[in-house]
Amino acid sequence: MSSCLSPASVAVVLGTRPELVKLAPLIHELGDATRLVHTGQHWDEAMSGRFLRDLELPAPELLTGVGGRPRAGQIAHSLAQLDAAFAADRPAAVVVQGDTNATLAGALAANARGIPLVHVEAGLRSFDRAMPEEHNRVMVDHVADLLCAATEENAGNLRAEALAEERIALTGNTVVEVVRRQLPDAATRTALLAAHGLRPDGYVLATVHRPENTDTAEALGSVLAGLDRIARAGTPVLFPMHPRTRAAVERFALDGLLARLAVTGPVGYADFLGLAGHAALLVSDSGGVQEECTVLGRPLLVVRRSTERPEAVAAGFAALVQPGSDFAELARTWLADAPDRLARLAATPSPYGDGLASARIAALTAQVAERGGRAGTPLAA
Ligand code: UDP
């Protein structure tokens, strides 16, 4: 499909781990039309380097001085550099994904120069205005020319904000493809579990990194205490720790609550999927994990105040547990009926589509790029 697009003509702007994961299938679909730009928001080996390699992504143009700043500084520094890069070499279209500061900076840079903007994963809404991500996604949707909604619900959120129908396309979510492609084969998964001393369907896999769970000692202490209770009750808990969470554990001196958990650093994507695919239960505040659990057929407790991804809850994969609540009690119930639950989920289709999202998005991106300028012309479905 990329044949109608010139080499390096579509700037794909990203800055974090989930963007690398979700955009990988689209970047492959765009092929040599991709011009990958990494803002450096999360730029290290564990969160970026190995993801670029493992997902077989091209070497990115890397912005400087962005990571580690407060939100406004990240956006401002990315925006200034993106503007200069787009002035020097104007892309035919800009693609961003999700709701990070990199997403917003890429969107504003495209908007400032009148370059057509594609938003992958448009229309997610938590309706929680305390979350910076909610503001990022709303702002990006309102300037994007092509809004790639993963689900009907997401498209409905866009319509409810009076965004024009001709800007909205229902594409499915690229997560379905990336999970299917990156999940290691059965023999590799067996070796992986053995290396961690885990039994299939016999452990909990947990990730925590959102500010709402890591910004205060009380919030983080409550999540870690819940995981500690699960481990005390006899189910092993594997906890690959995000760098932000590790820093918060040290800051609040909460190491004692880690004693019964199997703590590692962040793991590579294929390993994470392999481990998630055999967990009896997932506990997470991650956005991506809320989607991945539906492809892997695994139950998830979402430790969040709200979610912008109600589909996994509605389909029976996930439940939202309020911060401060005793989720170990719900975990106990879910673990007790794990065989039935796992059988039921294995037979439940993912609400995130048929695994063809990236081909649809790439075709629509080519149309938007060819048309040039801002939206107004209806897109073919
Ligand atoms: N992930 C990973 N290794 C880990 C933890 C998570 O590869 O140790 C993946 C996970 O499968 C998901 C993505 O990282 O695809 C989620 O990233 P994160 O939780 O940082 O962001 P969010 O999805 O909440 O935006």
Side-chain angles (χ1 to χ4, degrees), residues 17-18 21 51 207 209-210 240 242 266-269 272 286-288 292:
R17 175 172 73 178
V21 168
F51 282 78
T207 76
H209 76 291
R210 297 257 161 201
H242 192 283
V267 298
Y269 190 55
F272 188 83
S286 160
E292 289 156 355

